[in-house]
Amino acid sequence: MLILGIESSCDETGVALVQSDGGSVPRLLSHALHSQIEMHQAYGGVVPELASRDHIQRVLPLTQAVLDEAAVALTDVDVVAYTRGPGLAGALLVGAGVACALGMGLNKPVLGVHHLEGHLLSPFLSADPPEFPFVALLVSGGHTQLMQVDGVGRYQILGETIDDAAGEAFDKSAKLMGLGYPGGPALSRMAQGGDPQAFKLPRPLLHSGNLDFSFAGLKTAVLTQSKKLGDALEMRKADLAASTEAAIVDVLVKKSLAALRQTGMRRLVVAGGVGANRLLREQLNAACKKAGVRVHYPELHLCTDNGAMIAMAAALRLQADVERPNSDYAFDVKPRWSLHA
Ligand code: KG4
Ligand code: ZN
């Protein structure tokens, strides 16, 4: 079965083709991506209307590119999958509209996919795919969750952020330091020359006894430090960035290990944009090695949004028979949508 996947929930247009034989792990045939980062950079963040308009221009050429790369015809596609939510409504509507129009034109069914399930299952695109069950640390721009994953579609929340997401903490702290958008990679780059112990920043809820997170206080602490430093901030930026990154990573690592202890699981899967963070990977690798836990990541270039994870999530859902594709092309999107409900 050949599945075309379309992602357009935020500032990346992604399209991919995945082949499923019904049994083994589905295979990625091709994928193409256009990032809008450059376009939004001038505004310091994503401008939803510009995002939607750009998705409209990119999605069909990218579709043609993945068909060409895989040397298949559009008529060979069996199911058209698209991100149904969560995300920006206008941006989601572009992918959903195009997917349903293609499905209707080809007389093939469509499948709306949860964006976070795409991230969650993205390590299945790697050379070393995980096996169920596992604990998942989902760390994206909008979400920070620990989940117990027993199989495709069997997700149980263990803990989540009560305010900002980890990616948001990176983005907002970077903005306060004048490091630009997207903040995660920018702050991480700046941190490389800095001392992670230079500033004592809070590790909220570290000892809360549960698996929830809170990052809003960290952002306030970074703001307070920046103000205190005044003109000296420029000189101490690397130290402040390193201290911020260390605080976020410290909490993510300790809570992930606590989730593994609580569930008794020996496998951790990390997914979402923040999963690309070098320090997080280093520290998780070290902690998991010590605890005798295997840790799986998506490939670096598939940590942030892409079409491959949407096609893969659709393929795995169809293979596991937790969902059937539909031919009701009266699509809708879900800008807010929880994965576990
Ligand atoms: O998963 P994603 O692409 O989009 C959402 O679904 O939200 O995640 C984007 C987030 C942004 O907050 C970005 O700053 C962060 O992931 N990010 C990183 C890194 N690369 C992306 N954060 C820390 N270190 C990175 N290397
Ligand atoms: Zn995402």
Side-chain angles (χ1 to χ4, degrees):
M1 181 187 284
L2 187 61
I3 297 156
L4 178 74
I6 299 176
E7 154 66 31
S8 71
S9 67
C10 189
D11 54 355
E12 256 112 21
T13 324
V15 185
L17 281 168
V18 160
Q19 180 84 50
S20 154
D21 65 9
S24 49
V25 178
R27 202 161 51 88
L28 178 65
L29 300 187
S30 56
H31 88 107
L33 189 72
H34 175 79
S35 169
Q36 303 177 352
I37 284 179
E38 222 170 279
M39 181 178 79
H40 296 296
Q41 233 150 18
Y43 306 93
V46 179
V47 184
E49 178 64 20
L50 294 182
S52 314
R53 292 187 203 178
D54 200 63
H55 286 307
I56 291 173
Q57 291 190 321
R58 308 290 174 182
V59 65
L60 287 177
L62 289 174
T63 303
Q64 191 60 55
V66 296
L67 292 168
D68 291 347
E69 194 191 330
V72 298
L74 188 56
T75 47
D76 294 333
V77 170
D78 296 301
V79 175
V80 186
Y82 62 94
T83 306
R84 190 178 178 204
L88 301 169
L92 288 165
L93 280 167
V94 176
V98 168
C100 290
L102 283 176
M104 196 171 198
L106 295 166
N107 201 20
K108 297 287 168 62
V110 297
L111 187 68
V113 172
H114 197 294
H115 180 82
L116 289 182
E117 188 172 23
H119 279 301
L120 183 69
L121 300 175
S122 63
F124 284 91
L125 291 157
S126 73
D128 177 30
E131 277 167 36
F132 297 110
F134 52 77
V135 167
L137 171 68
L138 206 64
V139 271
S140 71
H143 295 82
T144 298
Q145 298 177 335
L146 276 162
M147 258 185 268
Q148 177 171 329
V149 178
D150 291 307
V152 177
R154 294 164 62 201
Y155 315 128
Q156 213 179 305
I157 284 273
L158 300 169
E160 61 188 328
T161 183
I162 58 169
D163 42 52
D164 290 353
E168 224 173 335
F170 270 106
D171 292 338
K172 288 179 176 171
S173 303
K175 201 166 189 175
L176 287 171
M177 287 183 236
L179 296 176
Y181 147 91
L187 191 139
S188 187
R189 261 194 309 278
M190 175 57 74
Q192 274 175 35
D195 172 6
Q197 283 166 358
F199 296 96
K200 259 199 152 21
L201 296 176
R203 268 90 168 138
L205 300 190
L206 192 56
H207 303 292
S208 60
N210 63 22
L211 297 171
D212 286 338
F213 302 88
S214 164
F215 290 106
L218 178 63
K219 171 192 62 194
T220 312
V222 171
L223 177 65
T224 309
Q225 278 298 343
S226 307
K227 279 190 177 154
K228 242 196 234 168
L229 286 166
D231 289 346
L233 173 63
E234 216 41 53
M235 301 268 301
R236 305 291 309 279
K237 246 186 207 178
D239 285 344
L240 189 55
S243 303
T244 307
E245 186 179 43
I248 299 171
V249 167
D250 197 21
V251 177
L252 294 177
V253 171
K254 295 219 166 92
K255 294 266 173 171
S256 299
L257 269 286
L260 287 158
R261 275 197 301 277
Q262 186 180 306
T263 56
M265 293 209 182
R266 319 294 302 158
R267 204 180 286 278
L268 177 69
V269 161
V270 184
V274 181
N277 185 270
R278 194 184 44 85
L279 185 71
L280 177 65
R281 287 186 176 218
E282 274 172 23
Q283 299 211 349
L284 270 181
N285 288 343
C288 286
K289 195 171 172 199
K290 216 167 140 191
V293 169
R294 283 213 55 189
V295 52
H296 296 260
Y297 305 93
E299 288 182 34
L300 263 185
H301 69 286
L302 297 177
C303 275
T304 44
D305 296 346
N306 62 82
M309 68 184 198
I310 300 305
M312 175 57 87
L316 288 171
R317 284 186 76 81
L318 294 172
Q319 258 181 223
D321 209 14
V322 292
E323 194 168 1
R324 297 269 159 83
N326 67 81
S327 297
D328 170 13
Y329 304 111
F331 60 92
D332 66 351
V333 294
K334 294 188 161 200
R336 296 176 72 85
W337 187 11
S338 116
L339 181 55
H340 46 98

